Amino acid sequence: EASVHTVTFVQDGRADIVKTVKEGESLTDIPEPVSEKGYTIVWDRTDFSSVTENITVTAVKTANVYTITYELGVNNYATLGEKTQSVTYGQPFMLPTPEYDGSAKFFGWYIADENGKATDEKAENGDYLRTQDMTLIAVWQEWSEQGN
């Protein structure tokens, strides 16, 4: 009679999933790792053909990388070294400050909506916690509008 082996799937914070396989047979019923917002999670092994021993499989979690695209808005005098920035989910990032001449005051970066228009949501330095790419638009105020 063929011996039986176990294949144990281990993921942090989850109960282990244990499958049994007869000597030399293949495991085809492979569980999906539990997904987590902002991360790609895969098993550290995916070939379970001809199992001849007990196997422990571990989930590997990698933070996703997203892109911030910067648009300088209406200030024709503004420049920015890099127009895009790669950011890693859950990691800190710093917003650049555009260089500019002219009479405008830089108010900050505001998150663009799906139509490419600035919203009222101001972007701040900190940890990147969005699960998608983001476009930020520079918002300016002309000195003449400030009532000086």
Side-chain angles (χ1 to χ4, degrees):
E1 181 170 310
S3 58
V4 174
H5 300 290
T6 59
V7 180
T8 305
F9 294 86
V10 179
Q11 185 173 357
D12 284 345
R14 310 277 191 268
D16 294 351
I17 299 169
V18 180
K19 303 282 187 174
T20 56
V21 188
K22 286 183 182 168
E23 174 83 24
E25 291 188 1
S26 299
L27 175 66
T28 55
D29 179 21
I30 300 165
E32 285 291 318
V34 177
S35 63
E36 190 174 328
K37 177 180 154 183
Y39 295 90
T40 299
I41 302 174
V42 297
W43 298 120
D44 66 357
R45 175 178 176 157
T46 56
D47 180 7
F48 302 100
S49 55
S50 188
V51 174
T52 58
E53 61 186 2
N54 293 338
I55 301 170
T56 299
V57 187
T58 305
V60 177
K61 178 168 108 171
T62 306
N64 294 334
V65 176
Y66 300 99
T67 301
I68 299 175
T69 302
Y70 296 98
E71 294 182 6
L72 290 169
V74 298
N75 188 336
N76 297 330
Y77 300 104
T79 59
L80 191 62
E82 295 290 329
K83 295 278 198 316
T84 61
Q85 176 182 3
S86 291
V87 290
T88 302
Y89 183 82
Q91 295 298 310
F93 71 102
M94 295 288 291
L95 297 165
T97 301
E99 295 183 22
Y100 55 94
D101 300 317
S103 61
K105 176 176 172 39
F106 177 63
F107 266 177
W109 295 105
Y110 286 78
I111 298 170
D113 64 18
E114 58 278 355
N115 299 318
K117 304 287 185 215
T119 63
D120 291 339
E121 189 178 352
K122 187 174 184 179
E124 304 287 351
N125 292 325
D127 293 342
Y128 196 83
L129 297 176
R130 290 177 171 266
T131 55
Q132 64 207 34
D133 295 340
M134 176 171 59
T135 298
L136 298 179
I137 299 173
V139 172
W140 307 88
Q141 181 179 32
E142 295 295 330
W143 291 119
S144 59
E145 296 172 11
Q146 294 178 11
N148 289 353

